[in-house]
Amino acid sequence: MQAFRTVQFVALGCLTFGSRGFRARKKSFNPTALDIDLTGKHYIVTGGTSGLGFVTAQQIAERGGTVHIVCRNGAKGETARSQIVAQSGNDRVQIHVCDISSLAQVRRFADEWRRSGLGIAALVNNAGILVNERRVSEDGFELSFATNTLGTFALTEMLLPVLEKSKDARVITVSSGGMLTEGLEVDDFDGKGLSNAKGIDGSKQYARSKRHQVAMTEHWAEKYKDKGIFWGSMHPGWAKTPGVESSIPEFYNALKGQFRSAEEGADTIVYMAVAEEVLSLPSGEFFFDRQVVPKHLCAAGTRYSGTKRERLLESLEGILKEKGFALDGQ
Ligand SMILES: NC(=O)c1ccc[n+]([C@@H]2O[C@H](COP(=O)([O-])OP(=O)(O)OC[C@H]3O[C@@H](n4cnc5c(N)ncnc54)[C@H](OP(=O)(O)O)[C@@H]3O)[C@@H](O)[C@H]2O)c1
């Protein structure tokens, strides 16, 4: 079954995830969807120091928005901030140092934001990693789970009281097409079942966390459907970024001729974060190149029940409650 999924994934990827696929679909994009003045609106972009997050922050700044880059490395954040200000001419770019894999830092950032009284036009959950060896977060969780799944979940839940008070808020979670190769894992967050000579099969653990993000987005859209928030997960395609080049060098080197640029990869993130027309699209869906696309490959055995999804969410909530988080905006 795994080989069947991989073959389908690579075939789909070669046809659509690269630059050629983007350019083909771009012909049907609304050419004015991003012609919008974002002055006065606040956007949070996690992982805005590099790759897709950097481009997203830059594109929002170019449209006048106030951008809040959440980064784990203050010096990199400052460099990104200076570049974006210089290129956009917009000095409303702020950095917030917060390691998303650290529950204490996520809580501190969210508490500070809540106290600031600022609204949120969009929270872009972009920070993400693929680690090819076993590493653990300061809370003791496997690092890609801690970053992509748990930290993203904690940040979003902690900001919910602000999101629901903000008009037409959006939460865009940058998942990955790689999640198509995995089902919903609810029992082995640590990836113990993926042990290999390096400690863990990092690509599989990454794909599982990216599947978690898709399931979390479905859950939020259902649970908070009356709160006036647009929820969407997305796949950026195969985009040339520092993260891809360093985390999957063999895959990148084999296919780099097909890769899209970071700007092409970030296009749908920016679209989902700012375009007016997005608010009339269904919430809780998975997007690629400005369209809702299927969350499963054909006959791949990755579908899951609502009950299983709720088990994931109960486990994540359980971890946060154990760490003393107050959820549901309490
Ligand atoms: N590029 C692709 O082809 C592709 C395909 C599918 C999905 N994605 C997803 O797109 C997102 C962006 O990836 P990218 O390709 O742009 O990679 P990237 O160049 O490595 O950028 C990732 C960003 O996330 C930040 N980050 C990582 N861990 C963090 C943490 N614990 N706390 C705060 N920030 C953290 C990084 O910060 P540092 O600068 O400090 O490392 C960096 O700014 C990821 O979620 C990735 O899974 C990318």
Side-chain angles (χ1 to χ4, degrees), residues 309-329:
R309 193 182 69 207
E310 289 321 302
R311 269 181 64 203
L312 167 70
L313 277 301
E314 278 165 21
S315 300
L316 298 178
E317 286 172 3
I319 294 171
L320 296 191
K321 283 182 185 154
E322 241 176 56
K323 298 278 179 189
F325 277 66
L327 300 178
D328 290 340

Side-chain angles (χ1 to χ4, degrees), residues 46-53 70-73 76 98-102 125-129 143 147-148 174-178 206 210 213 234-244 246 259 269:
T46 69
T49 56
S50 169
L52 305 176
V70 175
C71 57
R72 58 183 169 177
N73 178 327
K76 273 184 99 170
C98 167
D99 183 331
I100 299 291
S101 73
S102 157
N125 287 318
N126 163 79
I129 46 158
L143 197 59
T147 309
N148 306 346
V174 181
S175 174
S176 168
Y206 168 83
K210 292 288 161 180
Q213 294 182 326
M234 62 83 66
H235 172 43
W238 290 340
K240 184 178 180 333
T241 64
V244 163
S246 63
F259 265 59
I269 308 175

Side-chain angles (χ1 to χ4, degrees), residues 163-202:
L163 291 161
E164 65 180 309
K165 280 194 210 129
S166 306
K167 188 174 179 306
D168 294 336
R170 305 151 190 231
V171 177
I172 313 308
T173 299
V174 181
S175 174
S176 168
M179 68 88 193
L180 294 166
T181 62
E182 288 294 322
L184 188 63
E185 177 56 54
V186 296
D187 295 318
D188 183 20
F189 293 153
D190 208 32
K192 287 210 165 69
L194 302 177
S195 291
N196 64 12
K198 287 184 180 164
I200 193 164
D201 180 336

Side-chain angles (χ1 to χ4, degrees), residues 3-225:
F4 177 59
R5 285 181 202 161
T6 305
V7 168
Q8 272 196 72
F9 170 72
V10 172
L12 182 66
C14 289
L15 283 174
T16 64
F17 296 170
S19 184
R20 205 169 36 178
F22 177 81
R23 283 181 273 118
R25 272 178 309 284
K26 190 179 175 189
K27 292 180 190 144
S28 60
F29 291 175
N30 171 358
T32 60
L34 302 185
D35 295 348
I36 182 162
D37 179 3
L38 307 177
T39 306
K41 295 183 174 178
H42 292 265
Y43 294 83
I44 299 176
V45 182
T46 69
T49 56
S50 169
L52 305 176
F54 177 83
V55 174
T56 300
Q58 186 176 37
Q59 302 247 337
I60 291 170
E62 278 170 8
R63 290 167 176 78
T66 301
V67 187
H68 300 263
I69 293 176
V70 175
C71 57
R72 58 183 169 177
N73 178 327
K76 273 184 99 170
E78 193 46 55
T79 303
R81 197 193 76 78
S82 308
Q83 286 173 350
I84 292 172
V85 169
Q87 282 163 22
S88 66
N90 175 355
D91 64 1
R92 294 180 298 281
V93 181
Q94 298 179 23
I95 59 165
H96 304 260
V97 176
C98 167
D99 183 331
I100 299 291
S101 73
S102 157
L103 291 175
Q105 291 188 36
V106 167
R107 180 155 47 181
R108 193 199 61 215
F109 168 69
D111 282 345
E112 281 171 10
W113 190 284
R114 280 151 53 140
R115 280 198 298 273
S116 75
L118 294 174
I120 301 174
L123 164 63
V124 180
N125 287 318
N126 163 79
I129 46 158
L130 187 166
V131 266
N132 288 307
E133 70 279 332
R134 182 173 291 284
R135 286 170 57 194
V136 291
S137 68
E138 66 180 34
D139 301 300
F141 298 103
E142 187 284 323
L143 197 59
S144 52
F145 168 77
T147 309
N148 306 346
T149 304
L150 188 61
T152 298
F153 180 70
L155 177 63
T156 306
E157 289 284 342
M158 288 290 286
L159 290 177
L160 187 72
V162 184
L163 291 161
E164 65 180 309
K165 280 194 210 129
S166 306
K167 188 174 179 306
D168 294 336
R170 305 151 190 231
V171 177
I172 313 308
T173 299
V174 181
S175 174
S176 168
M179 68 88 193
L180 294 166
T181 62
E182 288 294 322
L184 188 63
E185 177 56 54
V186 296
D187 295 318
D188 183 20
F189 293 153
D190 208 32
K192 287 210 165 69
L194 302 177
S195 291
N196 64 12
K198 287 184 180 164
I200 193 164
D201 180 336
S203 294
K204 265 180 98 67
Q205 179 73 349
Y206 168 83
R208 286 179 175 184
S209 68
K210 292 288 161 180
R211 174 65 78 183
H212 288 155
Q213 294 182 326
V214 170
M216 277 156 28
T217 299
E218 291 169 352
H219 161 87
W220 285 321
E222 258 179 55
K223 182 171 179 188
Y224 303 129
K225 62 177 176 293

